[in-house]
Amino acid sequence: QVQLRESGGGSVQAGGSLRLTCEVSGHFISGSCVGWFRQAPGKEHEDVARAYHAGVIAYTADSVKGRFTISRDNAKNTHYLQMNNLKPEDTAMYYCAADQSCSGTSYDYQYRGRGTRVTVSS
């Protein structure tokens, strides 16, 4: 069983930065994938970024390219989403999710956390 827990969300002004953290516990083998997706009120979920547990980045959404970076610390079983130059349209609940492969959107992955809220004001 794999468990994920997000943290690091908060309220910032446009142009600010946040780093989201996803702590992973349980059996999680190399080659598995961790991704981040977000969901804003009244909007469809959006796949943000995915990376293999070994560190290879599989996907970054066009809407966040150049601003968001997915990374991980394998020794700590922790994954990160560094978010810079935040915009009001980045306001959403952010979730990390895990599965055996990085194919497909992270929204559909087998395991996910409860989410952390990000609010960006103009």
Side-chain angles (χ1 to χ4, degrees):
Q1 186 72 15
V2 176
Q3 295 182 326
L4 299 92
R5 184 175 66 178
E6 305 93 338
S7 61
S11 297
V12 297
Q13 291 191 326
S17 298
L18 286 172
R19 187 176 77 161
L20 305 185
T21 298
C22 176
E23 297 176 59
V24 181
S25 60
H27 182 61
F28 197 67
I29 63 175
S30 61
S32 297
C33 181
V34 170
W36 293 87
F37 69 92
R38 65 187 181 183
Q39 186 148 25
K43 294 186 177 180
E44 290 290 318
H45 55 84
E46 179 183 13
D47 198 17
V48 175
R50 305 176 230 132
Y52 283 98
H53 191 62
V56 175
I57 295 175
Y59 173 81
T60 304
D62 287 341
S63 59
V64 306
K65 275 181 182 175
R67 301 188 299 123
F68 291 12
T69 303
I70 187 171
S71 64
R72 85 284 179 254
D73 183 336
N74 285 338
K76 297 180 179 180
N77 278 341
T78 301
H79 297 252
Y80 305 99
L81 185 68
Q82 178 66 44
M83 306 187 298
N84 298 327
N85 190 21
L86 282 160
K87 303 176 180 180
E89 52 263 42
D90 295 318
T91 295
M93 185 71 83
Y94 284 73
Y95 300 85
C96 65
D99 210 324
Q100 297 299 313
S101 169
C102 272
S103 62
T105 172
S106 55
Y107 179 80
D108 294 326
Y109 285 2
Q110 184 175 6
Y111 305 104
R112 65 169 67 164
R114 293 177 177 266
T116 186
R117 186 173 302 278
V118 172
T119 303
V120 185
S121 57
S122 57

PDB file of all heavy atoms in Angstrom, residues 10-18 67-68 83-91 94 118-122:
ATOM      1  N   GLY A  10      -0.572  27.345   0.257  1.00  0.00           N
ATOM      2  CA  GLY A  10      -0.776  28.582   0.991  1.00  0.00           C
ATOM      3  C   GLY A  10      -1.281  29.671   0.076  1.00  0.00           C
ATOM      4  O   GLY A  10      -1.680  29.408  -1.061  1.00  0.00           O
ATOM      5  N   SER A  11      -1.252  30.879   0.606  1.00  0.00           N
ATOM      6  CA  SER A  11      -1.715  32.044  -0.141  1.00  0.00           C
ATOM      7  C   SER A  11      -0.525  32.946  -0.446  1.00  0.00           C
ATOM      8  O   SER A  11       0.236  33.290   0.461  1.00  0.00           O
ATOM      9  CB  SER A  11      -2.750  32.820   0.666  1.00  0.00           C
ATOM     10  OG  SER A  11      -3.898  32.037   0.895  1.00  0.00           O
ATOM     11  N   VAL A  12      -0.394  33.301  -1.713  1.00  0.00           N
ATOM     12  CA  VAL A  12       0.693  34.179  -2.136  1.00  0.00           C
ATOM     13  C   VAL A  12       0.167  35.186  -3.140  1.00  0.00           C
ATOM     14  O   VAL A  12      -0.901  34.992  -3.727  1.00  0.00           O
ATOM     15  CB  VAL A  12       1.863  33.401  -2.785  1.00  0.00           C
ATOM     16  CG1 VAL A  12       2.500  32.460  -1.777  1.00  0.00           C
ATOM     17  CG2 VAL A  12       1.404  32.651  -4.021  1.00  0.00           C
ATOM     18  N   GLN A  13       0.932  36.226  -3.337  1.00  0.00           N
ATOM     19  CA  GLN A  13       0.580  37.196  -4.369  1.00  0.00           C
ATOM     20  C   GLN A  13       1.175  36.753  -5.701  1.00  0.00           C
ATOM     21  O   GLN A  13       2.137  35.982  -5.759  1.00  0.00           O
ATOM     22  CB  GLN A  13       1.106  38.576  -3.988  1.00  0.00           C
ATOM     23  CG  GLN A  13       0.385  39.195  -2.802  1.00  0.00           C
ATOM     24  CD  GLN A  13       0.741  40.654  -2.610  1.00  0.00           C
ATOM     25  OE1 GLN A  13       1.866  41.062  -2.871  1.00  0.00           O
ATOM     26  NE2 GLN A  13      -0.219  41.436  -2.145  1.00  0.00           N
ATOM     27  N   ALA A  14       0.582  37.246  -6.760  1.00  0.00           N
ATOM     28  CA  ALA A  14       1.093  36.938  -8.100  1.00  0.00           C
ATOM     29  C   ALA A  14       2.573  37.287  -8.182  1.00  0.00           C
ATOM     30  O   ALA A  14       3.009  38.312  -7.674  1.00  0.00           O
ATOM     31  CB  ALA A  14       0.304  37.710  -9.151  1.00  0.00           C
ATOM     32  N   GLY A  15       3.302  36.399  -8.828  1.00  0.00           N
ATOM     33  CA  GLY A  15       4.745  36.562  -8.925  1.00  0.00           C
ATOM     34  C   GLY A  15       5.514  35.846  -7.834  1.00  0.00           C
ATOM     35  O   GLY A  15       6.746  35.716  -7.928  1.00  0.00           O
ATOM     36  N   GLY A  16       4.820  35.392  -6.824  1.00  0.00           N
ATOM     37  CA  GLY A  16       5.466  34.702  -5.723  1.00  0.00           C
ATOM     38  C   GLY A  16       5.754  33.245  -6.023  1.00  0.00           C
ATOM     39  O   GLY A  16       5.482  32.741  -7.124  1.00  0.00           O
ATOM     40  N   SER A  17       6.305  32.552  -5.023  1.00  0.00           N
ATOM     41  CA  SER A  17       6.709  31.157  -5.178  1.00  0.00           C
ATOM     42  C   SER A  17       6.201  30.311  -4.018  1.00  0.00           C
ATOM     43  O   SER A  17       6.037  30.803  -2.903  1.00  0.00           O
ATOM     44  CB  SER A  17       8.240  31.041  -5.246  1.00  0.00           C
ATOM     45  OG  SER A  17       8.774  31.725  -6.361  1.00  0.00           O
ATOM     46  N   LEU A  18       5.995  29.062  -4.300  1.00  0.00           N
ATOM     47  CA  LEU A  18       5.690  28.065  -3.289  1.00  0.00           C
ATOM     48  C   LEU A  18       6.365  26.757  -3.698  1.00  0.00           C
ATOM     49  O   LEU A  18       6.562  26.501  -4.883  1.00  0.00           O
ATOM     50  CB  LEU A  18       4.183  27.815  -3.167  1.00  0.00           C
ATOM     51  CG  LEU A  18       3.324  28.874  -2.490  1.00  0.00           C
ATOM     52  CD1 LEU A  18       1.841  28.522  -2.665  1.00  0.00           C
ATOM     53  CD2 LEU A  18       3.656  28.974  -1.011  1.00  0.00           C
ATOM     54  N   ARG A  67       7.946  27.673 -15.316  1.00  0.00           N
ATOM     55  CA  ARG A  67       7.595  28.211 -13.997  1.00  0.00           C
ATOM     56  C   ARG A  67       7.582  27.131 -12.907  1.00  0.00           C
ATOM     57  O   ARG A  67       7.978  27.402 -11.774  1.00  0.00           O
ATOM     58  CB  ARG A  67       6.221  28.885 -14.048  1.00  0.00           C
ATOM     59  CG  ARG A  67       6.132  30.021 -15.041  1.00  0.00           C
ATOM     60  CD  ARG A  67       4.806  30.771 -14.916  1.00  0.00           C
ATOM     61  NE  ARG A  67       3.652  29.919 -15.167  1.00  0.00           N
ATOM     62  CZ  ARG A  67       2.662  29.731 -14.295  1.00  0.00           C
ATOM     63  NH1 ARG A  67       2.702  30.295 -13.108  1.00  0.00           N
ATOM     64  NH2 ARG A  67       1.647  28.959 -14.621  1.00  0.00           N
ATOM     65  N   PHE A  68       7.118  25.946 -13.231  1.00  0.00           N
ATOM     66  CA  PHE A  68       7.010  24.843 -12.268  1.00  0.00           C
ATOM     67  C   PHE A  68       8.066  23.785 -12.591  1.00  0.00           C
ATOM     68  O   PHE A  68       8.314  23.476 -13.760  1.00  0.00           O
ATOM     69  CB  PHE A  68       5.637  24.177 -12.335  1.00  0.00           C
ATOM     70  CG  PHE A  68       4.488  25.012 -11.842  1.00  0.00           C
ATOM     71  CD1 PHE A  68       4.613  26.363 -11.595  1.00  0.00           C
ATOM     72  CD2 PHE A  68       3.257  24.407 -11.610  1.00  0.00           C
ATOM     73  CE1 PHE A  68       3.550  27.117 -11.142  1.00  0.00           C
ATOM     74  CE2 PHE A  68       2.178  25.148 -11.154  1.00  0.00           C
ATOM     75  CZ  PHE A  68       2.320  26.515 -10.940  1.00  0.00           C
ATOM     76  N   MET A  83       7.082  25.930  -7.534  1.00  0.00           N
ATOM     77  CA  MET A  83       6.218  26.785  -8.347  1.00  0.00           C
ATOM     78  C   MET A  83       6.690  28.227  -8.225  1.00  0.00           C
ATOM     79  O   MET A  83       6.645  28.807  -7.135  1.00  0.00           O
ATOM     80  CB  MET A  83       4.764  26.656  -7.887  1.00  0.00           C
ATOM     81  CG  MET A  83       4.270  25.212  -7.854  1.00  0.00           C
ATOM     82  SD  MET A  83       2.506  25.069  -7.506  1.00  0.00           S
ATOM     83  CE  MET A  83       2.417  25.786  -5.867  1.00  0.00           C
ATOM     84  N   ASN A  84       7.161  28.773  -9.328  1.00  0.00           N
ATOM     85  CA  ASN A  84       7.651  30.150  -9.353  1.00  0.00           C
ATOM     86  C   ASN A  84       6.763  31.012 -10.248  1.00  0.00           C
ATOM     87  O   ASN A  84       6.016  30.492 -11.077  1.00  0.00           O
ATOM     88  CB  ASN A  84       9.091  30.186  -9.877  1.00  0.00           C
ATOM     89  CG  ASN A  84      10.051  29.421  -8.998  1.00  0.00           C
ATOM     90  OD1 ASN A  84       9.893  29.355  -7.778  1.00  0.00           O
ATOM     91  ND2 ASN A  84      11.072  28.827  -9.613  1.00  0.00           N
ATOM     92  N   ASN A  85       6.876  32.310 -10.068  1.00  0.00           N
ATOM     93  CA  ASN A  85       6.104  33.256 -10.874  1.00  0.00           C
ATOM     94  C   ASN A  85       4.629  32.847 -10.930  1.00  0.00           C
ATOM     95  O   ASN A  85       4.021  32.750 -11.997  1.00  0.00           O
ATOM     96  CB  ASN A  85       6.679  33.348 -12.288  1.00  0.00           C
ATOM     97  CG  ASN A  85       6.088  34.482 -13.096  1.00  0.00           C
ATOM     98  OD1 ASN A  85       5.552  35.439 -12.530  1.00  0.00           O
ATOM     99  ND2 ASN A  85       6.154  34.370 -14.411  1.00  0.00           N
ATOM    100  N   LEU A  86       4.063  32.616  -9.769  1.00  0.00           N
ATOM    101  CA  LEU A  86       2.680  32.150  -9.704  1.00  0.00           C
ATOM    102  C   LEU A  86       1.717  33.197 -10.232  1.00  0.00           C
ATOM    103  O   LEU A  86       1.945  34.418 -10.086  1.00  0.00           O
ATOM    104  CB  LEU A  86       2.333  31.775  -8.263  1.00  0.00           C
ATOM    105  CG  LEU A  86       2.887  30.417  -7.832  1.00  0.00           C
ATOM    106  CD1 LEU A  86       2.954  30.324  -6.310  1.00  0.00           C
ATOM    107  CD2 LEU A  86       2.032  29.288  -8.399  1.00  0.00           C
ATOM    108  N   LYS A  87       0.651  32.701 -10.842  1.00  0.00           N
ATOM    109  CA  LYS A  87      -0.376  33.549 -11.426  1.00  0.00           C
ATOM    110  C   LYS A  87      -1.720  33.240 -10.766  1.00  0.00           C
ATOM    111  O   LYS A  87      -1.912  32.124 -10.263  1.00  0.00           O
ATOM    112  CB  LYS A  87      -0.475  33.290 -12.923  1.00  0.00           C
ATOM    113  CG  LYS A  87       0.832  33.498 -13.672  1.00  0.00           C
ATOM    114  CD  LYS A  87       0.677  33.127 -15.139  1.00  0.00           C
ATOM    115  CE  LYS A  87       1.985  33.324 -15.895  1.00  0.00           C
ATOM    116  NZ  LYS A  87       1.841  32.964 -17.326  1.00  0.00           N
ATOM    117  N   PRO A  88      -2.659  34.166 -10.796  1.00  0.00           N
ATOM    118  CA  PRO A  88      -3.985  33.893 -10.208  1.00  0.00           C
ATOM    119  C   PRO A  88      -4.628  32.632 -10.790  1.00  0.00           C
ATOM    120  O   PRO A  88      -5.322  31.915 -10.069  1.00  0.00           O
ATOM    121  CB  PRO A  88      -4.774  35.153 -10.556  1.00  0.00           C
ATOM    122  CG  PRO A  88      -3.751  36.233 -10.596  1.00  0.00           C
ATOM    123  CD  PRO A  88      -2.530  35.577 -11.202  1.00  0.00           C
ATOM    124  N   GLU A  89      -4.374  32.347 -12.050  1.00  0.00           N
ATOM    125  CA  GLU A  89      -4.962  31.154 -12.663  1.00  0.00           C
ATOM    126  C   GLU A  89      -4.338  29.853 -12.164  1.00  0.00           C
ATOM    127  O   GLU A  89      -4.814  28.768 -12.500  1.00  0.00           O
ATOM    128  CB  GLU A  89      -4.861  31.226 -14.194  1.00  0.00           C
ATOM    129  CG  GLU A  89      -3.482  31.505 -14.731  1.00  0.00           C
ATOM    130  CD  GLU A  89      -3.279  32.982 -15.058  1.00  0.00           C
ATOM    131  OE1 GLU A  89      -3.720  33.830 -14.252  1.00  0.00           O
ATOM    132  OE2 GLU A  89      -2.658  33.265 -16.090  1.00  0.00           O
ATOM    133  N   ASP A  90      -3.285  29.946 -11.353  1.00  0.00           N
ATOM    134  CA  ASP A  90      -2.721  28.748 -10.724  1.00  0.00           C
ATOM    135  C   ASP A  90      -3.476  28.363  -9.453  1.00  0.00           C
ATOM    136  O   ASP A  90      -3.189  27.321  -8.852  1.00  0.00           O
ATOM    137  CB  ASP A  90      -1.240  28.973 -10.387  1.00  0.00           C
ATOM    138  CG  ASP A  90      -0.373  29.169 -11.609  1.00  0.00           C
ATOM    139  OD1 ASP A  90      -0.578  28.441 -12.601  1.00  0.00           O
ATOM    140  OD2 ASP A  90       0.519  30.046 -11.575  1.00  0.00           O
ATOM    141  N   THR A  91      -4.408  29.200  -9.025  1.00  0.00           N
ATOM    142  CA  THR A  91      -5.192  28.909  -7.831  1.00  0.00           C
ATOM    143  C   THR A  91      -5.965  27.611  -8.011  1.00  0.00           C
ATOM    144  O   THR A  91      -6.712  27.455  -8.973  1.00  0.00           O
ATOM    145  CB  THR A  91      -6.159  30.066  -7.542  1.00  0.00           C
ATOM    146  OG1 THR A  91      -5.398  31.241  -7.224  1.00  0.00           O
ATOM    147  CG2 THR A  91      -7.079  29.731  -6.384  1.00  0.00           C
ATOM    148  N   TYR A  94      -4.055  21.236  -5.163  1.00  0.00           N
ATOM    149  CA  TYR A  94      -3.002  20.456  -5.819  1.00  0.00           C
ATOM    150  C   TYR A  94      -2.876  19.094  -5.136  1.00  0.00           C
ATOM    151  O   TYR A  94      -2.814  19.002  -3.915  1.00  0.00           O
ATOM    152  CB  TYR A  94      -1.669  21.196  -5.753  1.00  0.00           C
ATOM    153  CG  TYR A  94      -1.579  22.350  -6.722  1.00  0.00           C
ATOM    154  CD1 TYR A  94      -2.291  23.518  -6.501  1.00  0.00           C
ATOM    155  CD2 TYR A  94      -0.802  22.261  -7.873  1.00  0.00           C
ATOM    156  CE1 TYR A  94      -2.231  24.584  -7.400  1.00  0.00           C
ATOM    157  CE2 TYR A  94      -0.717  23.315  -8.774  1.00  0.00           C
ATOM    158  CZ  TYR A  94      -1.442  24.467  -8.533  1.00  0.00           C
ATOM    159  OH  TYR A  94      -1.378  25.513  -9.429  1.00  0.00           O
ATOM    160  N   VAL A 118      -3.662  25.963  -2.952  1.00  0.00           N
ATOM    161  CA  VAL A 118      -2.829  27.096  -3.375  1.00  0.00           C
ATOM    162  C   VAL A 118      -3.745  28.218  -3.837  1.00  0.00           C
ATOM    163  O   VAL A 118      -4.627  27.999  -4.681  1.00  0.00           O
ATOM    164  CB  VAL A 118      -1.868  26.691  -4.519  1.00  0.00           C
ATOM    165  CG1 VAL A 118      -1.156  27.914  -5.088  1.00  0.00           C
ATOM    166  CG2 VAL A 118      -0.865  25.657  -4.029  1.00  0.00           C
ATOM    167  N   THR A 119      -3.543  29.397  -3.268  1.00  0.00           N
ATOM    168  CA  THR A 119      -4.325  30.571  -3.655  1.00  0.00           C
ATOM    169  C   THR A 119      -3.367  31.681  -4.059  1.00  0.00           C
ATOM    170  O   THR A 119      -2.473  32.042  -3.289  1.00  0.00           O
ATOM    171  CB  THR A 119      -5.214  31.041  -2.498  1.00  0.00           C
ATOM    172  OG1 THR A 119      -6.068  29.969  -2.098  1.00  0.00           O
ATOM    173  CG2 THR A 119      -6.062  32.230  -2.928  1.00  0.00           C
ATOM    174  N   VAL A 120      -3.565  32.185  -5.256  1.00  0.00           N
ATOM    175  CA  VAL A 120      -2.702  33.255  -5.774  1.00  0.00           C
ATOM    176  C   VAL A 120      -3.561  34.482  -6.019  1.00  0.00           C
ATOM    177  O   VAL A 120      -4.508  34.430  -6.807  1.00  0.00           O
ATOM    178  CB  VAL A 120      -1.990  32.839  -7.066  1.00  0.00           C
ATOM    179  CG1 VAL A 120      -1.018  33.934  -7.512  1.00  0.00           C
ATOM    180  CG2 VAL A 120      -1.257  31.514  -6.888  1.00  0.00           C
ATOM    181  N   SER A 121      -3.230  35.571  -5.362  1.00  0.00           N
ATOM    182  CA  SER A 121      -4.003  36.801  -5.514  1.00  0.00           C
ATOM    183  C   SER A 121      -3.279  37.768  -6.446  1.00  0.00           C
ATOM    184  O   SER A 121      -2.051  37.784  -6.520  1.00  0.00           O
ATOM    185  CB  SER A 121      -4.226  37.451  -4.153  1.00  0.00           C
ATOM    186  OG  SER A 121      -2.987  37.709  -3.521  1.00  0.00           O
ATOM    187  N   SER A 122      -4.070  38.582  -7.122  1.00  0.00           N
ATOM    188  CA  SER A 122      -3.490  39.530  -8.089  1.00  0.00           C
ATOM    189  C   SER A 122      -3.103  40.831  -7.418  1.00  0.00           C
ATOM    190  O   SER A 122      -3.456  41.092  -6.290  1.00  0.00           O
ATOM    191  CB  SER A 122      -4.481  39.796  -9.206  1.00  0.00           C
ATOM    192  OG  SER A 122      -5.687  40.279  -8.676  1.00  0.00           O
TER     193      SER A 122
END
